[in-house]
Amino acid sequence: QLQGSGKMNVSPAAEFDPSALDIIVRGSDINQEAIAKRFIPDVILPMELDTGLSSGSFAMKGAHMSPVIDTSFNISNGTSGSVTFQRESTSVQIRSPQFEVLGSVYLQPPSYQDVKKAVTQSQASDLAKPNFTGGSMNLNLNGLDVIPLLSDDDSVRNLSKSAGEAVRLRVNGRVKLEGDVTKDAEGGPHFSGLLNLENVRLNQMKLYRDLKGTVDLTGQKVSAHGKGMRPDETLDIELDLKAMADSSEGGSIRFGDSYVNLRCGRIQGSGSVMEEGTLMDFRVANIKLDDLELASLRGELQEVSAAVNLNTQTGRGRASILAPKYTGLQGDSLSGGFRWEKDVFRLEKFVLQQQNSRYEVQGEYVLPSSFKLPSSAGELIGPVDGSDAPGNSGRWRLRLDAPFAEIQDLTPLGRLVQSVNNQFPADYERAKSAFMGALQSASVRLNDWNESLDVLLAPISPKKPSSTIGEHRHGYNHGYGSGHGEAGLHFPALQTCQGFWKGSIQAFGGGDGATSCDFDLRGQNWQWGAASLDSFIAKGSGHSEDGVQLQEFVLNAGDAKLLVRGSFLNDNQDATLLLTDFPVNTLRPIFQAVPALQHTAPAVSAHAPEPTASPLPLGIIAGTINRMSGPEQTDETSPISGQLFMSGSLRGSKDSPSGDVTVRVYDAVVGPTRLSNAQASAKLTEGKDMTFDVNIVPLDGQRSSGQIVASGKVPIQALESRAQGGSQAADTTTNHEQEREIDVSLNVQDGGMAVLTSLSPNVRWKQGIANLTATVAGTMERPVVRGEALISKALLDCPVLKYPLNLVSADIRCEDDVITVRGIDAYVGRKGRIRVRGTLPLRHGASHEPLTNSRLTFDLNQLEVKARNMYTGQVDALLTARDSVERPIIGGSMRFSRGSLFLNPQAQDDGGAPESFEDMTSMSQKPAESLGPSVSKVFTLLTKGDSGLTTQLESAMKSEMEAVEVIVEDASGSNAVLDGLAIQFGPDLRALYPLVMNFGVSGELVASGPAHPDTISVTGTVKLPSGDINLLAAQFELDREHENLILFGPAPGEQTAGRTPVGIDPMVDVSLNSGDLKVSITGKASEWSEHLMMQSIGQGSTGIDSEKLDNTEAAKLLESKLKAALLADNGQIALSKLAGNTMATFMPKIETQGSVGNTKWRLVSAPSVPGLLDPSSDSSTSSNVLDFLALGAEMEVTFGNRLQAAMVRKLRESDIMTKWTLNYKLNSKLRMQFDVSSVSPYAKTLTFQYSSSDDTT
């Protein structure tokens, strides 16, 4: 936007009238970069000079012959300035955050008479040329970064990328220049003046404190001489620049004799150009790189010098740095030199000396014959003639010698290489755009792409910290998991690598020829994390065309030794490999990345035979005594142990390799199973057929040990064509695959099942007779699986069952991808039994016309389940599986009864749910923080104050809902679909949150849909007939006069035709009482806190008063109850009260109820501990009938709907209190209550309660 106004007088008198001109123009939102490109199309401003929009003004005032022009501007980056043009001077003023410049140029204007006489254009142009008489400048620099001003954006980005961080050269200081302009002998301008440099600093490197000198400038020469207040500050510059030759004739800058000498304290710098620019030299010394702050480069530059003679085409140079350091890589000294002779550049011995290492680097580079060497310094800085660019690269050689070295000194080099390879955000965005464009052009489905990447990278990707629920989902191993529950291949940190090495490496290449390398390396005492290497030798050579020749490659680690010799990666490969005495447990990081081994128990000792399990009572007793004597020795956390021996050979060409390998493991152990024989062999032919043979025999000294035998042939070419996935590769190999089919067979007998079950966390083979055979034939695209499994008299141990599976028998057949279970039968304990029958296809969508109604039926009767931290009790089920094994549709019914369902499956073994009274008493001996999340949640709830009550309750409820989701998600695989699966609860089923919650559970749920918490549909009702919540400050009990329900399915009024409700978000309708406090929740479980209502029930003169409490009042009430429960009258902790509350928490309760006619009864009892509170008392001689009532016992009898009697026996401070209550309903509005207490002062209370509304209960 531009605005202008003004006036102009055009009369003859206006030539000298100071008021003849008065014009002003203002502008705003001006894009100066666009204006600059309009007049200079090729201009590219650096990022630092991309100033954005600007505003300014232009004013002209005065007479026509001597106007005064004022211009000013303001830029959005904080830069502002002004320029004033007068007849005898021009003044400039610019201010910015990084610099400030004030300057003036003095002129000698032509006389008015001469101006009036100029009537032609040429005469006016001659008079318009400025005639300078002098000038002055005052420049203040405040951290001006000169690197962006000297280089383009790409160069700055590449420099920062190589350095690993941004590189800055910030200049600070003050420069003053003032002088006069005269004519020299040849009539040209000659400037001579005074120069003053004050506090000049480059980053933190101080240059000049206060230097004063003189400056002379002519058309071709620059001269500056100065001296500081100290003798070690000098400046001497003499530059002789000849005229620029015509660029069209291929000329360049010609130098006369020039030199530069600088001295700034200890810093010295000098350079010269002599004899028309053919002799050049420079030297810089005594620079502290710490002050220069070039990226992370540190140390002291003692000297950098070079001398070049372009006439004789020779040159030499050297460099020396003391205590160099760069991004963590540091040394004691770095020194070396170079030499140039004709077309050869030699890197003379360059030495890096570290505390425990020494590295020597030598090399040379030979220029190609087509490269034209410069003949003067002007050609070095002038334009490059593209016709002289070399057509090929020159030959090079590089040699590294390490007389002695320590690996730890080089570990920062790995981080340096990584930082160099890191991409900047702009590079990442460009790469991302290009990648997404390529995916769209290739029509790749991103969902499938992401899923494939997740599957491929899962074994080697680092695991993110997961929630406690996630840890349960993937790490729960039912008591047999090893200590390596986390999957993934994890390597130690690079900085943990230690050891010594020495040797030499020499490489050759370039000149459009082959690249080769010779190496001779030796090392000893290497350590990387837990892995160690005593010594190694690597000697051989590599060639880009002839492959690798290993004369000797030896690794020694303890008794283990690896020896490799021969040639690789060429047309005539001939190599051998021998590995002896290698401990297999060293490979445990790799085992942890194999999904089949992630749940395998740690390998036991290979030398102490495990006693054979026996179902007889004496066998059980012997096993118990053996376990009590101490745990069996395990081989750390590796699922496989033993001594590995391997030998192999490689032959053929690199395109058609052939060879064989044989592997044996002595003293082998897989989990809890010892092996007497474990060996495998494989052979690869030049026709790309691989044959293999595997033989595994378990160790069993009493019966037939059994075996695992696998053998067959697999065409490797078929595997390659499948991996390529291209249509052309598939077309060329289709006919070949039909002729070359796979042929694999597997046979497992008897004890071989122990090896297979060692890989499973859910079952363990103990003994029995088994014969499993399987064959895979056909092509890789259409494999055909056949086989059978016959098992009899087997004994299996299942961690989730209380008793082992005994007398297991099975008859399973597989034919044409259809599995037929003729019978699976097993007995569990005295009453439990498992039966499986039916037929089911292996693959989903396979065409099996006669098997349309095929299904598998699972009949589970009275199984005693003991899944730690999840469920302990009885399970009965009748399940059916339809469709296929790959995608089963599961229906039927399940019943959980006579047990406990724990609502904290995320608890670990050291803080899990107690399963017996002994477990709870042992937990009481642990510190408070080890009692799991329950106590900590409740304590935080009570001590948070008036702001955290709702938040903490919501966190606890979310934890319980996640626990239900885990149970649903663990019920089946992700491909399973539930079809009307009925889940029944009760009788005698309790839901426990240890130390906090104990509810009775009954009811039935029906689940349908994919087995995932977000997509499953659950309907039904769960009833809570009884229960209590212990918050220490208050003990809440379920209101038995209220029907406490958890309703799954659509809420009343939400059922929509044609819509099936999905997800797990039930309706909750629960009411709890605690003396004068009542809590009720009615609403969605996910929104329970919005429906939570607390009421304080007090007794007034007319009956019961109910008052709703907000969160602040509820928190204060709970806090007061907590103080009353734990503190004495003097404010100190009352140990008697604390002991009473603790005993009430830990004592297990047994509740039963029933009815006879109109009479209902309920009894809550607990095992008594005679003499627990009074060791001197003798309960056997007590005559008081109350002494035989258990602590914590409750008894309640209801006669019809009018009369109710109750007794409660509990611990109150240091006394045991028994309270009797009789409640009689006189009519619908009036009832009477009589209370008697056995504790002093033996209160007897008679209360009448009146309600204005009719009481129908």
Side-chain angles (χ1 to χ4, degrees), residues 1102-1104 1227-1231 1248-1256:
T1102 60
I1104 299 177
N1227 54 40
S1228 61
K1229 297 183 179 181
L1230 181 65
R1231 72 170 57 194
F1248 290 91
Q1249 298 176 353
Y1250 174 80
S1251 176
S1252 60
S1253 59
D1254 292 340
D1255 186 0
T1256 59

Side-chain angles (χ1 to χ4, degrees), residues 1143-1144 1147 1165-1168 1172-1173 1189-1193 1209-1211 1216:
M1143 288 303 303
M1147 294 297 287
S1165 181
S1168 62
L1172 178 64
L1173 296 178
L1189 292 177
L1191 181 66
R1209 184 172 173 82
K1210 60 183 179 180
L1211 188 68
I1216 298 178

Side-chain angles (χ1 to χ4, degrees), residues 435 439 444-461:
F435 178 69
L439 288 180
V444 176
R445 292 179 59 189
L446 294 183
N447 291 335
D448 296 341
W449 176 263
N450 290 335
E451 293 175 0
S452 301
L453 283 180
D454 291 340
V455 172
L456 292 175
L457 298 180
I460 60 175
S461 299

Side-chain angles (χ1 to χ4, degrees), residues 819-886:
I819 184 171
T820 301
V821 180
R822 297 183 178 180
I824 299 178
D825 295 274
Y827 294 90
V828 183
R830 293 183 301 170
K831 300 180 180 180
R833 188 170 182 182
I834 300 175
R835 299 184 64 189
V836 182
R837 302 286 190 277
T839 302
L840 201 63
L842 291 176
R843 296 185 179 88
H844 173 67
S847 176
H848 297 285
E849 301 265 338
L851 302 175
T852 304
N853 296 322
S854 62
R855 67 180 60 197
L856 282 178
T857 302
F858 302 84
D859 189 1
L860 313 178
N861 291 322
Q862 299 185 22
L863 297 185
E864 294 293 332
V865 175
K866 192 175 182 180
R868 185 172 178 83
N869 301 327
M870 290 186 62
Y871 176 71
T872 300
Q874 182 174 309
V875 174
D876 298 87
L878 181 61
L879 304 176
T880 61
R882 297 180 284 111
D883 195 304
S884 63
V885 176
E886 182 182 26

Side-chain angles (χ1 to χ4, degrees), residues 981-1257:
L981 177 62
I983 305 175
Q984 302 168 358
F985 302 97
D988 299 333
L989 182 65
R990 310 292 297 180
L992 302 178
Y993 201 112
L995 308 180
V996 178
M997 186 170 63
N998 186 342
F999 284 165
V1001 180
S1002 64
E1004 180 177 347
L1005 301 178
V1006 178
S1008 300
H1012 190 278
D1014 296 334
T1015 56
I1016 194 172
S1017 173
V1018 181
T1019 59
T1021 303
V1022 175
K1023 299 180 180 180
L1024 306 177
S1026 62
D1028 58 80
I1029 297 178
N1030 179 19
L1031 295 183
L1032 194 61
Q1035 286 71 38
F1036 291 89
E1037 295 184 355
L1038 286 174
D1039 187 355
R1040 289 186 299 276
E1041 298 181 359
H1042 179 83
E1043 188 176 13
N1044 299 285
L1045 301 175
I1046 301 178
L1047 177 64
F1048 289 79
E1054 291 187 359
Q1055 182 65 45
T1056 304
R1059 180 175 66 89
T1060 303
V1062 296
I1064 302 177
D1065 191 8
M1067 290 286 297
V1068 179
D1069 186 3
V1070 177
S1071 178
L1072 303 103
N1073 294 326
S1074 176
D1076 56 352
L1077 186 63
K1078 181 177 181 179
V1079 177
S1080 60
I1081 302 175
T1082 304
K1084 286 284 189 180
S1086 60
E1087 304 170 353
W1088 73 271
S1089 60
E1090 301 178 4
H1091 306 284
L1092 173 67
M1093 183 175 68
M1094 289 190 179
Q1095 292 177 302
S1096 177
I1097 303 175
Q1099 297 188 7
S1101 60
T1102 60
I1104 299 177
D1105 298 330
S1106 178
E1107 179 185 359
K1108 185 178 179 181
L1109 304 178
D1110 58 16
N1111 293 337
T1112 302
E1113 295 171 339
K1116 291 181 178 179
L1117 181 59
L1118 287 178
E1119 185 177 357
S1120 64
K1121 286 180 173 290
L1122 177 63
K1123 293 179 180 179
L1126 297 181
L1127 301 181
D1129 296 337
N1130 58 2
Q1132 302 296 322
I1133 294 180
L1135 296 180
S1136 59
K1137 292 184 178 182
L1138 182 60
N1141 288 323
T1142 303
M1143 288 303 303
T1145 300
F1146 280 120
M1147 294 297 287
K1149 294 182 179 180
I1150 302 174
E1151 180 175 347
T1152 182
Q1153 56 187 339
S1155 62
V1156 178
N1158 292 331
T1159 302
K1160 299 179 182 180
W1161 55 271
R1162 186 178 70 93
L1163 176 63
V1164 178
S1165 181
S1168 62
V1169 186
L1172 178 64
L1173 296 178
D1174 187 5
S1176 62
S1177 65
D1178 187 0
S1179 61
S1180 62
T1181 61
S1182 176
S1183 60
N1184 190 348
V1185 68
L1186 297 180
D1187 293 338
F1188 294 94
L1189 292 177
L1191 181 66
E1194 299 178 14
M1195 183 171 57
E1196 181 180 299
V1197 181
T1198 303
F1199 303 93
N1201 62 350
R1202 286 183 174 271
L1203 183 61
Q1204 183 185 61
M1207 186 277 300
V1208 177
R1209 184 172 173 82
K1210 60 183 179 180
L1211 188 68
R1212 180 179 178 183
E1213 297 186 3
S1214 60
D1215 297 328
I1216 298 178
M1217 181 190 72
T1218 304
K1219 182 179 181 181
W1220 301 84
T1221 302
L1222 181 65
N1223 196 317
Y1224 182 69
K1225 181 179 177 182
L1226 299 175
N1227 54 40
S1228 61
K1229 297 183 179 181
L1230 181 65
R1231 72 170 57 194
M1232 176 188 70
Q1233 181 173 321
F1234 181 62
D1235 297 317
V1236 178
S1237 176
S1238 64
V1239 178
S1240 177
Y1242 309 104
K1244 299 177 179 61
T1245 306
L1246 180 63
T1247 306
F1248 290 91
Q1249 298 176 353
Y1250 174 80
S1251 176
S1252 60
S1253 59
D1254 292 340
D1255 186 0
T1256 59
T1257 59

Side-chain angles (χ1 to χ4, degrees), residues 745-749 771-775 786-790 812 814:
S745 63
L746 171 67
N747 178 254
V748 181
Q749 294 183 359
N771 186 10
L772 279 70
T773 60
T775 61
R786 295 183 177 88
E788 64 177 6
L790 300 175
I812 306 173
C814 182

